[in-house]
Amino acid sequence: ERGGNAMDAAISAAVLLGICEPQMTGIGGDCFVLYTLPGSDVVHALNGSGRAPAAADAAILRERGDKVVPPYGADAVTIPGAIDAFCHLSETIGKAGLDAVLAPAIRYADEGVPVAPRVAFDWARETEKLKGAARNHFLINGKAPNVGEVFRAPGQAEVLRRIAAQGRDAFYVGEIADDMLKALNDGGGVHVAQDFASVAATQTTPIAGAYKDIEVVEHPPNGQGATALLMLNILAEFDIAVMDPFGAERIHIEAEASKLAYDARNRFVADPDHMTQLDHMLAPETAKKLAALIDPKRAMASPTALSEQVHKDTIYITVVDRDGMTVSLIYSIFHGFGSGIASEKFGILLQNRGAGFTLEAGHVNELKGGKRPMHTIIPGMIRQDGKVIMPFGVMGGAYQPAGHARFTSNLQDFGMDPQSAIDAPRSFFDMGVLNVERGYSDAVRASLADMGHTVAIPETAIGGAQAILRRSDGMLEGASDPRKDGCALGY
């Protein structure tokens, strides 16, 4: 309303959500962004994910007996990349300026935000991870806040004021970086000042794949967008549209496709400077060969899991403005409350994205200094006849590629509108268990069990999603997932 554009709005809202949902995201985290410029359907991608400190090495962790990167400690903390990305996008794409963009988050960090019901629910489940200074900054009188209690983050307000005035260097060089470094080094981290000073977001080229009449556009690795495209390619080998959209047959085929696509992810997806099998993952013949392994009536054994660790804590924002600029932005600290480590003075909670590395010697995603880990978070867009018709995203950690595939299939195979495609019940095969939401019947669960699946009803809803359909008549149609506290807003 003040004349800013979609990028200004997306960054402003994302940073504010770090105060509203600190268990999900924050300035100690990473982001990935897809966007189009006004009047253009060319999709641009920015990788705002951070790297392992230069001195990090999987061999050191293996020697001390670790099988995985310990998720709640300094070894799992990669350098936060989101602030550099936000500053870069504000300066190059935004119109309003950092001071205007960060003003709402600064205000609410100072004044406080009443804690929403879903946030309070998540907060209470994650507090055991908070340690040291993090307990002082993210608990109220030693406890998780109740619904309606006001959470304040004055230290983060000061950080944002300095970023608004001085840009990204205020965060990555000097007192604020030193505050983060001290917390990491006190916890045994090998991080040094140069690791922070050298952070730089990377402009990348999106990847895309067709599914029936539309094209799904994804951010390239180190995110897992290629996994979503591989899964869609596998599903395209089956006639999903003739199946019951809420039946066991469809769930089974999706579960089997996800096992195969995620197995490929675990083998191949890594820092793009180290990854060599992207073309193989996206090749149609790869999907055909994998689809041929699926028995329509019987569950296959679960592929061997890699040691990378997954989560369900992320925020996703999409914005379309009056000039047609489109932004699809996802922003996260990985696990609930990330590493559980916060800096003492400013209360910056640090992500644990390094838990996305493997300690397997020689693996493309092996923990090494300066590498980006395999990331779960993926923004998406949909094109039709060359035009960007829908930015969308599905939160939920490992679920995200399966969520992209399910959302796309709901639209294309069953003709659902965006809100119905989001509302529809979900299932997800994860860690040997096929989680089937309460929206499905017991008969469906029984059929899946008969096929050999280990079926469970998840304790919490699977993921969350947002989307904006740019209709051919010029109207914008927003959709937001009732599983989360999000909403669709327009003016």
Side-chain angles (χ1 to χ4, degrees):
E1 289 175 342
R2 290 169 54 188
N5 61 22
M7 188 64 76
D8 294 316
I11 296 169
S12 186
V15 177
L16 175 54
L17 283 178
I19 308 302
C20 300
E21 299 187 78
Q23 84 288 4
M24 292 279 180
T25 198
I27 57 178
D30 283 351
C31 70
F32 291 89
V33 189
L34 297 176
Y35 62 95
T36 65
L37 299 175
S40 172
D41 289 292
V42 176
V43 181
H44 303 270
L46 188 75
N47 185 333
S49 68
R51 301 175 185 272
D57 194 333
I60 297 171
L61 276 66
R62 289 195 297 267
E63 285 168 13
R64 73 183 190 202
D66 288 321
K67 302 298 184 188
V68 300
V69 178
Y72 306 119
D75 290 314
V77 179
T78 48
I79 312 301
I83 288 296
D84 183 84
F86 293 157
C87 291
H88 170 78
L89 290 168
S90 173
E91 292 161 10
T92 59
I93 306 298
K95 296 197 302 189
L98 270 176
D99 52 347
V101 165
L102 297 179
I106 293 169
R107 174 193 164 189
Y108 286 109
D110 269 332
E111 295 179 6
V113 175
V115 175
R118 173 63 197 266
V119 176
F121 174 80
D122 290 336
W123 206 312
R125 293 165 63 92
E126 305 285 3
T127 52
E128 79 280 358
K129 298 165 187 173
L130 297 171
K131 52 184 79 70
R135 298 187 70 80
N136 300 327
H137 287 289
F138 293 95
L139 299 178
I140 299 175
N141 298 322
K143 296 179 180 178
N146 296 315
V147 176
E149 264 195 279
V150 174
F151 170 70
R152 295 179 177 85
Q156 290 191 62
E158 176 59 22
V159 171
L160 294 172
R161 272 192 288 271
R162 295 189 192 184
I163 295 170
Q166 302 162 35
R168 57 84 67 198
D169 283 356
F171 187 79
Y172 292 102
V173 181
E175 186 182 17
I176 294 169
D178 290 344
D179 189 41
M180 291 186 278
L181 270 171
K182 184 177 187 306
L184 291 166
N185 296 156
D186 286 352
V190 295
H191 309 68
V192 298
Q194 186 57 39
D195 293 323
F196 280 83
S198 60
V199 169
T202 307
Q203 202 80 36
T204 61
T205 302
I207 55 177
Y211 187 77
K212 304 211 168 171
D213 295 334
I214 60 177
E215 185 182 34
V216 178
V217 183
E218 299 280 356
H219 197 288
N222 50 315
Q224 56 177 347
T227 313
L229 297 180
L230 173 55
M231 188 169 165
L232 282 166
N233 285 342
I234 295 171
L235 293 177
E237 297 297 312
F238 297 87
D239 197 355
I240 302 293
V242 304
M243 300 177 188
D244 177 353
F246 310 119
E249 184 183 15
R250 182 190 184 198
I251 293 175
H252 169 71
I253 296 298
E254 282 187 353
E256 301 303 278
S258 71
K259 289 175 187 177
L260 296 165
Y262 282 62
D263 183 56
R265 180 203 71 175
N266 289 350
R267 295 172 190 272
F268 303 135
V269 175
D271 183 314
D273 292 337
H274 296 260
M275 186 175 172
T276 60
Q277 297 290 327
L278 180 59
D279 289 345
H280 172 69
M281 279 188 75
L282 300 181
E285 53 268 26
T286 299
K288 288 181 185 296
K289 289 176 181 177
L290 291 175
L293 300 175
I294 295 175
D295 182 338
K297 301 295 184 184
R298 194 72 194 162
M300 69 178 73
S302 177
T304 303
L306 197 67
S307 63
E308 56 84 13
Q309 298 153 52
V310 295
H311 77 125
K312 61 182 187 302
D313 302 290
T314 297
I315 67 95
Y316 172 79
I317 287 174
T318 179
V319 186
V320 178
D321 67 21
R322 64 175 72 80
D323 298 316
M325 176 180 282
T326 303
V327 179
S328 183
L329 186 157
I330 200 156
Y331 172 42
S332 172
I333 53 172
F334 203 25
H335 292 205
F337 287 115
S339 64
I341 299 171
S343 67
E344 187 165 358
K345 179 172 183 179
F346 296 106
I348 300 169
L349 191 71
L350 295 160
Q351 66 182 3
N352 62 338
R353 274 291 162 191
F357 283 116
T358 178
L359 297 185
E360 183 183 317
H363 195 285
V364 289
N365 189 39
E366 181 185 8
L367 169 64
K368 292 287 183 184
K371 280 178 71 174
R372 286 171 156 145
M374 193 281 286
H375 251 268
T376 54
I377 57 176
I378 48 174
M381 286 198 184
I382 291 174
R383 276 193 297 236
Q384 188 166 35
D385 299 327
K387 295 186 177 300
V388 172
I389 62 164
M390 191 187 306
F392 78 101
V394 180
M395 297 160 275
Y399 175 68
Q400 292 180 54
H404 280 215
R406 162 58 67 113
F407 178 74
T408 301
S409 174
N410 281 346
L411 296 172
Q412 280 293 287
D413 291 317
F414 303 106
M416 296 185 194
D417 62 80
Q419 188 63 57
S420 299
I422 286 173
D423 291 348
R426 295 176 180 147
S427 60
F428 180 46
F429 177 85
D430 186 34
M431 305 296 285
V433 176
L434 181 56
N435 290 293
V436 179
E437 282 188 335
R438 297 179 194 281
Y440 286 102
S441 69
D442 288 339
V444 165
R445 276 183 274 275
S447 294
L448 291 165
D450 289 343
M451 292 180 188
H453 294 284
T454 300
V455 181
I457 299 174
E459 291 183 16
T460 58
I462 298 173
Q466 322 276 4
I468 302 172
L469 174 62
R470 302 174 65 182
R471 291 173 22 159
S472 58
D473 60 4
M475 190 66 67
L476 298 177
E477 182 179 332
S480 184
D481 203 321
R483 296 168 179 83
K484 296 272 190 177
D485 283 324
C487 60
L489 294 171
Y491 73 91

